[in-house]
Amino acid sequence: MTTTKENDKPKDLTFKYNRFLYGAFVALGLYFLLAKKDIPTAMSNFGIALIFDPFDQKVMWQNRSLYQRVWLIVHIIILFVLLVVWLSQKF
């Protein structure tokens, strides 16, 4: 006979999975950007990486520490710079 507590909740692993997936998509973006020179694919991978917020998603934007906000803003700026570079090559 085993005893279980009724208040036991399963561990929330989304933080670890999000951080892993964020890193994987950033790595894929760097691979396509640096090795393959494929800017559109790199942009899409960098954009998908933002879906998996590497920080605690339960914390509101105003309550996040400065380095987290700077990190995410720089990520978006890199994404837009790649977009401008790609469009300038296209036209």
Side-chain angles (χ1 to χ4, degrees):
M1 186 163 128
T2 60
T3 60
T4 59
K5 295 180 183 177
E6 291 181 16
N7 294 337
D8 281 349
K9 295 180 182 177
K11 288 186 179 180
D12 187 17
L13 297 176
T14 56
F15 179 69
K16 289 182 181 181
Y17 288 129
N18 282 350
R19 187 167 276 190
F20 172 76
L21 289 171
Y22 177 83
F25 277 104
V26 168
L28 270 174
L30 289 172
Y31 169 74
F32 282 111
L33 183 63
L34 301 175
K36 298 286 186 176
K37 307 289 189 230
D38 187 5
I39 293 177
T41 307
M43 277 188 330
S44 67
N45 282 302
F46 284 133
I48 292 171
L50 282 172
I51 295 171
F52 305 104
D53 187 356
F55 308 111
D56 189 6
Q57 293 181 353
K58 295 174 187 168
V59 178
M60 293 181 61
W61 181 257
Q62 297 85 1
N63 298 335
R64 289 183 182 222
S65 61
L66 180 63
Y67 83 92
Q68 292 178 356
R69 289 184 283 171
V70 168
W71 181 281
L72 294 172
I73 290 171
V74 167
H75 188 120
I76 291 172
I77 289 171
I78 291 170
L79 192 59
F80 283 126
V81 166
L82 288 175
L83 179 65
V84 168
V85 168
W86 178 64
L87 288 175
S88 68
Q89 290 177 353
K90 206 79 163 137
F91 299 107

